[in-house]
Amino acid sequence: MKNIGLYFGTFNPIHIGHLIIANHMVENSDLDAIWMVVTPHNPFKKKSSLLDNHHRLEMVFKATEDYDKISPSDIEFKLPQPNYTVHTLAHISDKYPDYNFSLIMGEDNLKSLHKWKNYEVILQEHQVYVYPRISEEKVETQFDNHPKINRVNAPIVEISSTMIRNAIKENKNIKPLLTAEVWQYIDEMNFYKK
């Protein structure tokens, strides 16, 4: 049975930090592939600077084209909003019964996992792969030696999409933080300038 890691994010925009983590996870764990699940715009939230779903999906597609084991996923686009991870996991497991799905999350998300809707169900049914993040808060001790939580010693990448959007607004060069294809797309489409 194929092990698929689900890496959720708005990817607004996807940057090399996302790729470094996804690639490290798939090359240094028992995951066979990673699906970058683009989180749709929540209709209940203000639009803010979040690009349309199809633009963010296109950027993930452009960023992952050269990676055999990493691909974009729009699975959440068709699900009712607001969307909960537990519902997405149930839906995706039904749709692809021959695959085994795991969650990929940063340590910062692990710290709030106990507040997620039906997090116990997630941990019953799925493995969770955690990559390190720099932060102050403590992880709930119940997750310390949890059999379903796997800590992967991935590189710590402190690049954020917010930082990139702000730099573009200020007309700074952020090329090294994006793949060439994503940078070109953002530049051609004039994204994040205002």
Side-chain angles (χ1 to χ4, degrees):
M1 190 178 265
K2 218 173 172 193
N3 277 333
I4 309 286
L6 301 176
Y7 187 168
F8 290 84
T10 52
F11 302 120
N12 186 39
I14 184 169
H15 53 68
I16 58 159
H18 296 127
L19 294 172
I20 289 168
I21 289 164
N23 189 64
H24 187 89
M25 288 296 202
V26 79
E27 295 295 342
N28 297 283
S29 71
D30 58 357
L31 295 170
D32 299 305
I34 289 189
W35 294 1
M36 308 292 273
V37 182
V38 181
T39 309
H41 179 257
N42 182 333
F44 302 99
K45 281 194 178 151
K46 279 206 332 278
K47 191 79 174 171
S48 71
S49 60
L50 191 59
L51 292 182
D52 283 346
N53 295 345
H54 68 279
H55 288 306
R56 291 180 292 115
L57 184 68
E58 179 65 18
M59 287 192 285
V60 173
F61 173 76
K62 286 178 180 301
T64 57
E65 268 184 298
D66 292 342
Y67 294 83
D68 296 341
K69 301 176 187 171
I70 306 173
S71 46
S73 169
D74 63 356
I75 193 97
E76 287 203 317
F77 289 9
K78 300 162 193 82
L79 296 177
Q81 294 282 335
N83 207 347
Y84 295 103
T85 304
V86 68
H87 297 160
T88 302
L89 288 167
H91 172 77
I92 210 167
S93 300
D94 281 349
K95 191 168 173 167
Y96 302 99
D98 299 340
Y99 290 174
N100 194 17
F101 291 100
S102 301
L103 264 185
I104 292 174
M105 66 170 64
E107 203 169 11
D108 48 340
N109 281 323
L110 182 61
K111 288 171 183 169
S112 60
L113 183 63
H114 62 287
K115 296 177 186 157
W116 288 25
K117 183 181 172 77
N118 302 0
Y119 79 90
E120 306 91 344
V121 177
I122 295 174
L123 287 175
Q124 253 165 5
E125 308 286 324
H126 305 275
Q127 295 284 331
V128 177
Y129 291 81
V130 180
Y131 57 88
R133 296 296 293 263
I134 296 170
S135 71
E136 301 300 311
E137 300 149 51
K138 290 274 171 269
V139 172
E140 288 281 299
T141 47
Q142 68 193 38
F143 300 140
D144 272 356
N145 295 304
H146 198 287
K148 290 287 182 87
I149 295 176
N150 312 284
R151 290 175 180 276
V152 179
N153 191 12
I156 294 180
V157 183
E158 292 294 310
I159 300 171
S160 78
S161 297
T162 308
M163 177 182 101
I164 290 170
R165 290 194 307 273
N166 291 339
I168 292 172
K169 213 177 284 166
E170 292 161 16
N171 217 8
K172 292 179 179 164
N173 180 5
I174 43 86
K175 271 188 187 174
L177 305 178
L178 306 165
T179 66
E181 297 77 12
V182 170
W183 160 246
Q184 201 177 347
Y185 188 69
I186 289 174
D187 196 43
E188 281 169 10
M189 301 295 282
N190 230 359
F191 288 147
Y192 308 123
K193 293 278 169 69
K194 300 185 187 57

